[in-house]
Amino acid sequence: MSAILKSSGLPQIEKAMKHAESYQEWKALALEHDAISGKEEWKNKEKSKSYDYQNIRARLDTLRDLRAREDYSGLLFALNEGIHGNQGGMGQASLYEQARFGAKRLIEDYVDEIVTVINIIKDLPADIIQTEDKVNFFRRASLCFGRSALMLSGAGSLGHFHGGVIKALVEHDLLPTVISGSSAGAVFAAVVGTHTEAELKRLISSELLLDPLSGEVVSDAAAEKVTEKTVENTIENTIENTIEKIDAATLRLMLEAVIPDMTFQEAFEKTGKKISVTIAPLEEHQTSRLMNAITSPNVFIRSAVQASCAVPGVYPPVMLMAKNVYGETQPYLPGRRWVDGAVTDDLPAKRLARLYAVNHYIVSQANPLALAMMTAERSVLLPKPLKNMMKYWNHEWLKSGERFSRRYLRAVPDLGKAMSMFYSVAVQDYKGDVNIMPSFSYVNPRKLLAKLPKEEVATLVREGERATWRRLEQIRISTKIGRTLDAILDGWINIGGQ
């Protein structure tokens, strides 16, 4: 069969992938696409400039040889030498962009071998490797390898996209335990962080997806009604007079309906999930906060989420509430008021790294401003180094403008605040290691703070699912070692290990 004939079916396969109704259907189409396009052959070919394939091959052969000879001390030594997240550059995003499904077989084989050896070490009796040595190794390995976090962006009513992302990750047991959220993303982070894994799976297995932004439940069946429509048509072309705005009182009632009256510490004790909510200060000279069980254990999650959703100029700023030593509710930092967390730190990567040893970030990005900026960046046909240089210059220019506004606009504080917020929004990094984004980049601005019809919610949820399917194998491969290490350490803690 000629190359032209082989490639003639690719557009049809790609169209079918966009409309796939299940991950199994999507995966089969993706594998068919790889077979026809030649990417299956690419996956089997080890050599590539994108990673140090010789290093990975040598390490894989060493581990297999030591395991075959049952040289467990040698295995432990070999693991100590090089168990970290981006060994040989195997975490490079470009390695997961070539094929529609998976990456280089060598990388998958290496990850699987590491996991196999880790489990062998874990199960060895103490007379071969002492328990203390094993515990020390796994603690070091966990810190060295790091862990993954899911960061849910601010998004307004587009936050329903996060619901589809979470649904897909839960269904495939790939939901990280470290989760952050800003604005609408904070709502979904709070819902996930206050429900156990079993509760989340029951919700999904019943074919119902909780809709935190309306306090209602949305059936997957509703999505079937709009499968023939494009996402753009569904989101952009609703008749204007059907837009139902969400005021502050309604937002508060919605949050009360879906977020239990729990503190960050209580939620962590119930679910084991390390959720964080970003909030921004209303007052000048204050810094943004990342609220979680470490930094603010006694703060009520719901009040932090309400603050994170308080879009400046639309919703009033919020005073946080917390439990005191007697279990009574009282104001937290009563002299401060807080607003939308996406304004200053939509994706708090650095803070998560410091608090939870995170070094791998999965981003569900539905922030309309971020999507617009990334679309504009892609449209600029320049080499990447030049793009980075231009981005740096723009940041410096904006920084100078922000300093100017602080110095010369003190007599007009509202304008000064607006300039500071504009600067914060413009210079943020809106990407991670794995980026899950919708296929659209523009929506009707009037609907961003509106209550969407169920059909549109279902469409956004399905869009989130499909966007996640494209990244599931990358997430599975890149997080498998970290998830195994965390499971081992959690298991020892649960049985009384120190």
Side-chain angles (χ1 to χ4, degrees):
M1 184 183 295
S2 69
I4 295 178
L5 185 59
K6 281 185 178 182
S7 63
S8 63
L10 293 181
Q12 287 77 12
I13 294 174
E14 290 167 2
K15 182 178 180 181
M17 290 171 67
K18 291 180 180 179
H19 296 282
E21 295 302 323
S22 69
Y23 177 67
Q24 289 71 27
E25 179 186 348
W26 182 92
K27 179 179 176 180
L29 289 166
L31 290 171
E32 183 179 356
H33 191 288
D34 287 347
I36 295 175
S37 67
K39 295 304 180 182
E40 198 67 33
E41 182 180 349
W42 174 88
K43 286 186 277 189
N44 290 322
K45 184 180 179 181
E46 295 183 2
K47 187 176 181 179
S48 171
K49 294 181 179 179
S50 297
Y51 74 120
D52 189 349
Y53 66 93
Q54 293 173 320
N55 174 273
I56 300 296
R57 167 51 66 186
R59 291 197 59 79
L60 176 59
D61 290 344
T62 297
L63 291 172
R64 284 176 170 172
D65 177 62
L66 292 168
R67 179 160 63 91
R69 293 190 283 111
E70 298 185 352
D71 184 351
Y72 301 121
S73 295
L75 277 176
L76 191 59
F77 184 85
L79 288 174
N80 269 310
E81 272 190 327
I83 184 167
H84 56 83
N86 197 25
Q87 177 71 38
M90 67 181 189
Q92 294 294 325
S94 60
L95 291 167
Y96 299 89
E97 298 292 341
Q98 293 284 334
R100 290 295 189 273
F101 185 88
K104 292 288 188 181
R105 292 272 187 265
L106 176 60
I107 293 175
E108 297 183 39
D109 291 345
Y110 178 70
V111 169
D112 288 343
E113 182 66 21
I114 290 284
V115 170
T116 297
V117 171
I118 284 173
N119 283 312
I120 288 174
I121 297 294
K122 178 199 69 172
D123 295 330
L124 287 174
D127 60 337
I128 297 179
I129 295 180
Q130 295 183 3
T131 301
E132 182 180 358
D133 291 337
K134 288 196 288 184
V135 172
N136 288 336
F137 161 72
F138 284 117
R139 282 178 173 166
R140 288 197 310 274
S142 181
L143 286 172
C144 183
F145 191 86
R147 56 178 49 85
S148 299
L150 173 64
M151 298 193 293
L152 307 172
S153 72
S157 60
L158 299 184
H160 300 288
F161 176 84
H162 298 322
V165 173
I166 291 168
K167 183 174 185 290
L169 293 175
V170 170
E171 286 178 335
H172 293 86
D173 294 316
L174 291 173
L175 183 70
T177 58
V178 179
I179 305 168
S180 75
S182 300
S183 194
V187 182
F188 285 87
V191 171
V192 170
T194 53
H195 290 78
T196 64
E197 206 72 15
E199 289 171 341
L200 287 173
K201 287 185 176 181
R202 282 198 298 271
L203 182 65
I204 290 173
S205 65
S206 63
E207 297 187 352
L208 297 174
L209 181 66
L210 187 65
D211 174 12
L213 298 180
S214 69
E216 298 177 358
V217 170
V218 177
S219 169
D220 274 356
E224 307 304 323
K225 299 179 182 179
V226 293
T227 52
E228 296 304 317
K229 300 177 182 179
T230 65
V231 175
E232 291 87 349
N233 285 339
T234 305
I235 299 302
E236 294 173 20
N237 297 335
T238 299
I239 299 174
E240 292 295 324
N241 60 18
T242 65
I243 296 177
E244 180 183 348
K245 297 297 182 182
I246 300 176
D247 58 26
T250 302
L251 176 63
R252 180 175 56 81
L253 291 173
M254 287 179 178
L255 296 180
E256 288 178 356
V258 298
I259 302 175
D261 200 23
M262 302 172 68
T263 66
F264 282 98
Q265 182 62 32
E266 290 167 344
F268 173 70
E269 291 173 355
K270 176 187 176 182
T271 70
K273 296 185 179 72
K274 306 171 182 71
I275 62 167
S276 296
V277 172
T278 57
I279 58 175
L282 176 67
E283 298 84 1
E284 197 175 3
H285 306 303
Q286 298 298 315
T287 57
S288 61
R289 299 287 184 93
L290 189 64
M291 315 300 287
N292 52 50
I294 294 177
T295 63
S296 50
N298 299 318
V299 169
F300 284 102
I301 295 175
R302 190 191 301 154
S303 72
V305 172
Q306 187 176 352
S308 191
C309 291
V311 179
V314 179
Y315 298 127
V318 173
M319 179 173 65
L320 300 176
M321 303 300 291
K323 277 187 179 181
N324 64 17
V325 68
Y326 305 107
E328 301 166 336
T329 300
Q330 67 177 31
Y332 180 83
L333 299 175
R336 302 282 180 239
R337 298 295 184 273
W338 306 89
V339 296
D340 189 347
V343 170
T344 56
D345 206 4
D346 196 27
L347 306 176
K350 291 182 179 179
R351 300 186 187 195
L352 293 177
R354 183 174 68 249
L355 292 169
Y356 296 114
V358 172
N359 61 2
H360 183 261
Y361 301 93
I362 303 166
V363 174
S364 178
Q365 183 54 267
N367 185 321
L369 290 174
L371 294 175
M373 286 191 288
M374 286 188 283
T375 299
E377 182 181 340
R378 287 195 299 269
S379 67
V380 178
L381 301 178
L382 292 174
K384 188 174 181 179
L386 189 55
K387 280 187 178 182
N388 291 337
M389 188 178 298
M390 290 180 63
K391 187 175 181 180
Y392 172 78
W393 287 340
N394 287 335
H395 283 191
E396 290 301 306
W397 179 83
L398 288 167
K399 187 185 295 183
S400 298
E402 196 264 347
R403 289 171 180 166
F404 176 88
S405 68
R406 282 182 179 272
R407 183 172 181 179
Y408 295 104
L409 297 178
R410 290 175 181 172
V412 193
D414 289 341
L415 181 57
K417 288 179 182 178
M419 288 292 293
S420 295
M421 287 182 180
F422 174 78
Y423 168 76
S424 295
V425 169
V427 301
Q428 290 185 53
D429 188 355
Y430 291 101
K431 295 180 180 179
D433 297 287
V434 181
N435 298 292
I436 304 171
M437 297 181 290
S439 59
F440 55 86
S441 59
Y442 172 78
V443 295
N444 184 341
R446 294 185 60 193
K447 300 180 70 175
L448 289 175
L449 299 177
K451 182 177 179 180
L452 299 181
K454 289 185 177 181
E455 290 78 11
E456 293 188 22
V457 172
T459 302
L460 283 167
V461 171
R462 182 56 58 85
E463 177 78 0
E465 285 187 86
R466 288 184 176 132
T468 308
W469 293 345
R470 175 72 176 87
R471 302 297 179 187
L472 276 180
E473 192 65 6
Q474 179 182 1
I475 294 171
R476 185 191 69 79
I477 296 169
S478 57
T479 65
K480 190 172 184 179
I481 296 173
R483 286 184 286 112
T484 302
L485 291 169
D486 282 348
I488 291 172
L489 289 172
D490 289 345
W492 273 331
I493 291 172
N494 291 335
I495 62 174
Q498 299 299 317

